[in-house]
Amino acid sequence: MTNETAQHSGAWVAFTYASFLGSAAMVGLGILFMPIDIWIKGYLAMGTIMLVQSCITATKTIRDVHEGRRMVNRIEDAKTERLLMSVKD
């Protein structure tokens, strides 16, 4: 059994943070300078914030499910290996 985990480079992590902040700033400025009433701007800003929050929650949930399956597979592999070792003896 190997304990390999994929590690991201510092440059990739910085790029993802920068791209998220850049896109959030562009949407925010777009909403701010849009020639519409303030209550419509508030509605669009609220919807954008909720969309970002939902994307983060969905991403975390998908990753948690994946990590959970990996752990279950490791446990089942260990049980199988233990059973095979007991049969060999």
Side-chain angles (χ1 to χ4, degrees), residues 65-79:
V65 168
H66 175 72
E67 292 291 324
R69 286 185 183 150
R70 278 184 40 196
M71 183 57 72
V72 168
N73 288 340
R74 282 186 179 176
I75 292 170
E76 289 181 7
D77 287 346
K79 285 180 182 178

Side-chain angles (χ1 to χ4, degrees), residues 13-80:
V13 173
F15 172 75
T16 57
Y17 286 140
S19 64
F20 174 77
L21 291 174
S23 62
M26 286 188 280
V27 169
L29 289 172
I31 291 172
L32 182 65
F33 291 113
M34 200 176 283
I36 52 177
D37 292 334
I38 190 74
W39 67 271
I40 297 174
K41 289 180 183 183
Y43 179 80
L44 290 174
M46 184 176 57
T48 301
I49 290 169
M50 291 176 69
L51 179 63
V52 169
Q53 183 260 334
S54 297
C55 288
I56 291 170
T57 303
T59 302
K60 183 185 178 329
T61 301
I62 291 168
R63 182 168 178 101
D64 289 348
V65 168
H66 175 72
E67 292 291 324
R69 286 185 183 150
R70 278 184 40 196
M71 183 57 72
V72 168
N73 288 340
R74 282 186 179 176
I75 292 170
E76 289 181 7
D77 287 346
K79 285 180 182 178
T80 303

